[in-house]
Amino acid sequence: MLTHTQAIVISALKYGEADLIVKAYTLSDGLKTYMLKNVLKSKKGKFRASMFQSLTRLEIIANHRGADRMEYLKDAKVANNYMSIYTHPVKMTMAIFLAEMLKNTIREEEGNPALFNYLEYSFEFLDTTERIANFHLVFLLNLTKYLGFQPEQEKNDFPVFNLLEGVFQEIPINDYCIEGKNVDVLKKLLGIDFDALEHIKMNKATRNEFLNMLLLYYELHIEGFHKPKSLSVLKEIFG
């Protein structure tokens, strides 16, 4: 079926000498994988490798044949040229990290307009803001809503958060119950939008501890999840 839709690039992997295998999250059909033939060598083709950098938003025309198929693009153009993500080294590092997180968490090959719109809005905000130190924390926390394991905010006056159940409690009941500073940060970030980032102050140690907790939360709720390879670089930069 020939489909005209928007897509956000998640990853691009070199295949052979000149081909690319591109994973993208599409508005119409969720996660799709495309084979781009000879794109790394041809100077006359309609596709350029630079179009498939992490988080690039595209307008594409593709023949979508169904789930679990390698698809082929008929046409593509950049829908929104980011102003700073690919030129700002810290933003670029964050973009690589977030793209890895999306690659490790999104599996559904079906349309989810709410998730697509969230990703589109988030990356446009990242492109235009200068307050980025805690952006990834808010992004990942809010992403859980669309992945189906958002922390419940009921009883958020309780001092314990159960990572396994995603709820606040009065006392710990298993090895995945956390207390203290990470719970305080969780309560502060739950439900906020990126506009509130300017009011969030966090030192390196607190930020890294909370990120480690978030990644454990993802690991507990997504089968086969593994930490991004770019995690160590991200932590180093925000130190």
Side-chain angles (χ1 to χ4, degrees), residues 5-236:
T5 187
Q6 296 183 61
I8 295 173
V9 176
I10 293 178
S11 68
L13 177 67
K14 182 180 178 182
Y15 183 77
E17 292 297 316
D19 302 340
L20 277 181
I21 296 177
V22 174
K23 287 187 178 293
Y25 190 73
T26 68
L27 177 60
S28 62
D29 296 285
L31 185 67
K32 302 298 288 184
T33 303
Y34 303 97
M35 172 64 79
L36 304 182
K37 291 287 189 179
N38 210 37
V39 70
L40 298 178
K41 286 190 175 180
S42 175
K43 296 182 178 180
K44 297 181 179 180
K46 63 178 68 176
F47 304 132
R48 304 182 310 279
S50 60
M51 297 169 60
F52 303 98
Q53 296 184 82
S54 300
L55 309 189
T56 300
R57 184 156 59 87
L58 302 171
E59 294 276 356
I60 66 170
I61 299 176
N63 187 18
H64 288 173
R65 296 169 294 167
D68 300 319
R69 302 286 294 271
M70 185 80 75
E71 312 287 14
Y72 293 88
L73 287 177
K74 290 187 173 293
D75 199 8
K77 64 180 181 180
V78 177
N80 180 39
N81 285 300
Y82 295 130
M83 301 298 293
S84 67
I85 286 180
Y86 304 132
T87 57
H88 191 297
V90 179
K91 289 187 180 183
M92 187 61 198
T93 300
M94 185 171 286
I96 293 171
F97 170 77
L98 295 179
E100 277 195 85
M101 284 295 296
L102 295 178
K103 182 180 179 181
N104 293 344
T105 57
I106 297 177
R107 283 90 182 263
E108 292 75 17
E109 292 191 41
E110 57 183 35
N112 184 341
L115 174 54
F116 185 92
N117 292 337
Y118 172 68
L119 299 179
E120 178 183 31
Y121 163 71
S122 299
F123 303 142
E124 287 180 356
F125 185 93
L126 176 62
D127 185 50
T128 57
T129 188
E130 294 302 318
R131 302 179 183 276
I132 60 175
N134 300 311
F135 175 89
H136 56 306
L137 304 181
V138 174
F139 174 84
L140 293 177
L141 191 55
N142 288 341
L143 181 63
T144 61
K145 170 184 176 181
Y146 303 95
L147 299 179
F149 55 97
Q150 182 182 30
E152 292 186 12
Q153 297 192 49
E154 295 181 6
K155 303 178 181 178
N156 63 4
D157 55 328
F158 287 173
V160 175
F161 183 71
N162 185 334
L163 292 170
L164 201 58
E165 302 296 334
V167 297
F168 289 96
Q169 301 173 171
E170 287 188 283
I171 58 173
I173 62 170
N174 60 44
D175 292 338
Y176 297 107
C177 288
I178 61 168
E179 302 176 79
K181 188 178 295 183
N182 277 337
V183 175
D184 294 337
V185 175
L186 177 61
K187 291 177 179 180
K188 187 181 298 184
L189 297 184
L190 264 179
I192 72 169
D193 200 353
F194 298 121
D195 291 331
L197 282 172
E198 62 182 302
H199 305 299
I200 304 299
K201 308 298 180 184
M202 225 178 292
N203 61 33
K204 172 188 174 182
T206 301
R207 183 182 300 116
N208 285 344
E209 287 175 12
F210 186 77
L211 177 57
N212 288 336
M213 186 215 75
L214 266 181
L215 294 177
L216 175 58
Y217 188 53
Y218 271 73
E219 185 177 350
L220 291 171
H221 291 271
I222 296 179
E223 184 177 357
F225 174 82
H226 56 274
K227 295 179 181 178
K229 296 178 181 179
S230 57
L231 176 61
S232 59
V233 179
L234 184 78
K235 287 185 175 181
E236 184 177 341

